[in-house]
Structure formats: C-alpha cells, structure tokens
C-alpha cells in the first residue's frame, strides 16, 4: 500500500513541476496575512494582476515564456481571487490599492511593469 502512495506522490510531483515549469511558488507575509505568488526569471520585473474571480495561475503560460527575459511575478489579489472573494479587509478599490502598495513594498519592488486583466487593470491603472 505504501508503494502505491509513493507512486501517486511522485506522479503528482511530476505534474506540479510540469504545470509550473521553472516558476516558483513563494509565500509572503504582509501585516500578518500570508499570500502566495508565482515568481521566476531574471531581468526587469513584470508584475501580473488578474481580474475578478481570477487567480495568479491564469498567467503561468505567459509567465513561463516571458521568464526568459524578465523577472515575472503574479499574485492573488485579495478580494478578487476565488479563495478570497469575501475577504473582509478588501471590499473596495482603495483597500486593494493599499494592499498592492504593501505587496510591492514587501517584495522590495521599486521599478516594475504591470500587466493586468479585467478588474485587475483598474487596480493596476490606479496604482501606476
């Protein structure tokens, strides 16, 4: 029975590695809350913002391609991602803008490009 579990875990590990490619999942704590982002590559920073009911993983294919020339980062925006649609601290654009500023500060991002979709573009535009 244990051999079967080990085989299943190895298959899951292979699938996960192929899914993310060279991207890494990274946890970051901001004001006591833990957020997960995808990151990879080297070069100028590209920060990806998803829209309402989206997720950081929607960018993974684009990120895998752009990671050849850029340091790519995608994060789940609280209040917009499926896991946190009802996040009590992020009810409006102002709250999400404040969170994005704390995120970029925590990641020590001083210069970066934004790539955003749908309602994430509203946050990105206001942030810029």
């Amino acid at each position: 029975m244990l051999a079967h579990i080990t085989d299943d875990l190895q298959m899951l590990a292979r699938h996960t590695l192929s899914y993310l490619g060279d991207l890494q999942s990274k946890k970051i704590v901001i004001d006591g809350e833990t957020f997960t982002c995808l990151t990879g590559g080297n070069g100028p920073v590209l920060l990806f913002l998803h829209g309402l009911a989206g997720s950081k993983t929607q960018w993974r294919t684009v990120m895998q391609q752009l990671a050849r020339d850029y340091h790519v980062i995608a994060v789940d925006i609280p209040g917009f991602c499926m896991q946190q649609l009802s996040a009590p601290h992020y009810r409006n654009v102002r709250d999400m803008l404040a969170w994005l500023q704390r995120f970029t500060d925590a990641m020590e991002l001083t210069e970066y490009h934004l790539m955003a979709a749908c309602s994430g573009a509203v946050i990105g535009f206001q942030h810029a």
Side-chain angles (χ1 to χ4, degrees):
M1 173 103 176
L2 188 57
H4 177 69
I5 291 172
T6 302
D7 291 343
D8 288 346
L9 288 175
Q10 288 177 350
M11 183 179 69
L12 180 60
R14 282 192 307 274
H15 174 72
T16 301
L17 289 174
S18 68
Y19 181 77
L20 292 179
D22 290 334
L23 301 176
Q24 301 290 316
S25 180
K26 178 179 179 179
K27 293 192 183 299
I28 185 159
V29 178
I30 302 171
D31 298 333
E33 289 183 272
T34 302
F35 299 93
T36 306
C37 62
L38 294 178
T39 184
N42 292 302
V45 176
L46 281 174
L47 177 58
F48 294 84
L49 304 175
H50 62 80
L52 183 63
S55 127
K56 65 187 173 294
T57 57
Q58 78 185 46
W59 294 107
R60 76 178 169 81
T61 303
V62 173
M63 291 173 69
Q64 289 169 344
Q65 295 299 312
L66 292 174
R68 296 174 187 151
D69 301 309
Y70 295 92
H71 177 193
V72 293
I73 302 169
V75 63
D76 285 330
I77 301 172
F80 276 6
C81 66
M82 290 301 289
Q83 295 85 355
Q84 298 174 321
L85 280 177
S86 61
H89 298 66
Y90 310 101
R91 297 193 184 273
N92 57 47
V93 172
R94 186 177 351 174
D95 294 340
M96 292 177 198
L97 280 170
W99 173 83
L100 183 56
Q101 186 61 56
R102 289 191 306 274
F103 175 78
T104 56
D105 289 347
M107 294 291 288
E108 299 179 359
L109 302 179
T110 55
E111 287 188 27
Y112 48 95
H113 305 278
L114 290 170
M115 185 172 286
C118 303
S119 47
V122 172
I123 304 302
F125 177 76
Q126 293 293 321
H127 179 72

